Amino acid sequence: MNRVFNVSELNSRIRERLTTDLRLCDLWARGELSNVVNHRSGHRYFTLKDGDSQISCVLFRGHSGGLDFELENGQNVLVFGDVEFYRPRGQVQILVKAARRDSGLGGKYLELEMLKERLAVEGLFDAERKRSIPAYPACIGVVTSPDGAALRDVLRVLGSCPARIVISPASVQGESAPESIASAISALQGTADVIIVGRGGGSAEDLSPFNSEVVARAIYMSRSPIVSAVGHETDVTVADFVADVRAPTPSAAAEMVRPDVEGLRANLEEIEGRMRRSLSASLERRREKFLDLGRTLSARRMRGIVSEQRQSLDRMTDRLVSAEDRRIDLLSGRLELAAGKLDSLSPLLTLKRGYCIALTDRGLA
């Protein structure tokens, strides 16, 4: 049976082999800088990469004195040093003894800058198109890895938020990540009122999917406002420029979109208080008006009003009777006049004056 190594023994064996290979000592390596960290101890940590590979590097404080420039992401550099194997983490790295500028900027850096410039010209970064986050979203969408710490942070902050939380899972690292993120954003259209897109911290290479044109255009085409939450506060990606709002971390993004329930409760209590005061004032005014009306309609005043109305009724009755008597007299006079005219034309009146008619036995004149 072959010997079984524990991890420490295996790493020690690898380190021994690497450090005894003279071809890996005092060598020059060319590449593009990324993930540059100037530690407070004076040491410099960075990644050296090209189009296909990358390797970690460390420049200790004792060798930093010979630098005549500041290390910055995107620079092309030549580094001189030894290949080392960091046994506790099982990581191959270059112990840099010296570094100097190489010509121009790195290809990846230039590609990123050209993409930013092109998207800016097309208007994807314009402040005028950015939308505000709804104050009380009914549905909050989250685009991130279902296994990452970012999702746990977002869900922890949202807590008992009354809004519905919809998780649209996506791969946030690797070659397929840009298409996965874009598809996850598209899946939330028409469902979420606001969408958080992001992931936890990582190296510049880990965050590179959020620097892709595919993700930028998916954010731009979203009908719902997008909050980008990529990495830490110092990490800035293309997605941050296109998004409606940038949050420094996923937790901060959750704070931004979470409805302010306490503020809403305070507003409702204030409105209720104003309604109560308004209703109380209205009831008090009506009570005073009722009391005034009661004082106005006292028994004595009511008797006076009834007495006045009775006297007025008596006067109206007298006038009505007098008018009716006059009308009867007028009509009686007209009747007598008409009767006199009728009598003057009657044959009976002629007979009364002595005229007669002689008739035969048969009743003939």
Side-chain angles (χ1 to χ4, degrees):
M1 179 179 179
N2 294 331
R3 178 182 174 182
V4 177
F5 293 91
N6 61 37
V7 176
S8 295
E9 292 174 338
L10 180 60
N11 284 353
S12 295
R13 177 67 64 87
I14 295 172
R15 184 175 187 275
E16 180 182 351
R17 289 295 181 90
L18 287 176
T19 54
T20 56
D21 188 343
L22 297 179
R23 293 171 298 178
L24 300 178
C25 298
D26 293 335
L27 57 79
W28 285 95
R30 167 182 283 125
E32 178 183 340
L33 293 181
S34 69
N35 303 313
V36 176
V37 175
N38 296 313
H39 197 270
R40 59 177 176 270
S41 63
H43 307 322
R44 316 282 182 92
Y45 299 92
F46 55 90
T47 299
L48 193 66
K49 65 180 182 178
D50 58 18
D52 300 315
S53 302
Q54 64 183 38
I55 187 170
S56 298
C57 301
V58 56
L59 175 63
F60 290 121
R61 183 176 56 187
H63 293 112
S64 298
L67 280 179
D68 58 358
F69 67 100
E70 287 295 324
L71 302 180
E72 296 180 357
N73 291 329
Q75 290 176 334
N76 277 343
V77 296
L78 288 167
V79 298
F80 176 78
D82 302 329
V83 173
E84 177 65 68
F85 187 78
Y86 186 50
R87 187 176 58 84
R89 296 180 58 183
Q91 178 179 328
V92 177
Q93 60 185 13
I94 299 177
L95 296 182
V96 179
K97 302 175 184 177
R100 70 186 188 195
R101 289 179 181 272
D102 202 0
S103 58
L105 294 171
K108 292 290 184 182
Y109 181 83
L110 290 175
E111 287 179 12
L112 180 58
E113 291 303 309
M114 289 174 64
L115 175 61
K116 287 181 182 178
E117 183 177 350
R118 180 157 51 84
L119 296 180
V121 171
E122 292 183 30
L124 272 67
F125 300 166
D126 289 352
E128 294 78 10
R129 56 159 292 273
K130 296 184 183 296
R131 298 156 293 186
S132 58
I133 300 173
Y136 303 104
C139 179
I140 300 172
V142 182
V143 174
T144 190
S145 169
D147 303 318
L151 180 59
R152 293 193 294 271
D153 291 342
V154 168
L155 295 180
R156 175 180 53 80
V157 172
L158 292 179
S160 58
C161 168
R164 185 164 62 100
I165 312 300
V166 178
I167 300 169
S168 188
S171 173
V172 296
Q173 189 169 329
E175 293 182 2
S176 62
E179 291 291 345
S180 178
I181 296 168
S183 297
I185 294 173
S186 178
L188 290 173
Q189 300 306 302
T191 300
D193 298 314
V194 63
I195 301 173
I196 297 174
V197 178
R199 57 155 292 159
S203 66
E205 287 70 31
D206 294 337
L207 306 183
S208 62
F210 295 91
N211 281 323
S212 70
E213 183 174 355
V214 172
V215 172
R217 294 197 181 278
I219 293 174
Y220 179 74
M221 295 300 294
S222 173
R223 298 193 297 272
S224 303
I226 298 283
V227 179
S228 65
V230 182
H232 302 299
E233 187 169 2
T234 55
D235 300 318
V236 181
T237 65
V238 172
D240 296 322
F241 290 110
V242 185
D244 296 282
V245 179
R246 177 190 179 251
T249 63
S251 299
E255 290 284 358
M256 290 179 179
V257 303
R258 186 178 190 275
D260 185 4
V261 178
E262 294 302 321
L264 178 60
R265 182 179 290 112
N267 290 338
L268 291 176
E269 290 176 354
E270 182 181 353
I271 292 172
E272 181 184 10
R274 290 202 300 267
M275 291 176 63
R276 288 180 178 276
R277 291 191 295 272
S278 177
L279 182 59
S280 176
S282 177
L283 290 175
E284 182 63 24
R285 289 193 300 270
R286 291 176 181 273
R287 190 178 70 85
E288 291 293 334
K289 187 175 182 180
F290 179 77
L291 292 176
D292 290 342
L293 184 61
R295 288 190 291 268
T296 302
L297 299 178
S298 62
R300 180 177 179 182
R301 180 166 177 78
M302 288 300 296
R303 286 194 296 270
I305 293 174
V306 171
S307 176
E308 290 178 0
Q309 296 299 319
R310 283 178 175 174
Q311 295 179 44
S312 177
L313 181 60
D314 289 342
R315 289 194 296 271
M316 292 176 63
T317 302
D318 291 342
R319 289 199 299 271
L320 182 59
V321 171
S322 298
E324 190 63 24
D325 289 343
R326 289 194 298 272
R327 182 171 177 79
I328 291 174
D329 291 341
L330 177 61
L331 293 176
S332 296
R334 291 180 179 177
L335 179 60
E336 290 178 359
L337 180 60
K341 290 181 179 180
L342 184 61
D343 287 341
S344 64
L345 299 176
S346 173
L348 295 176
L349 183 59
T350 303
L351 292 176
K352 284 182 180 180
R353 291 199 299 267
Y355 291 93
C356 65
I357 300 173
L359 300 175
T360 64
D361 293 338
R362 295 179 181 179
L364 300 174

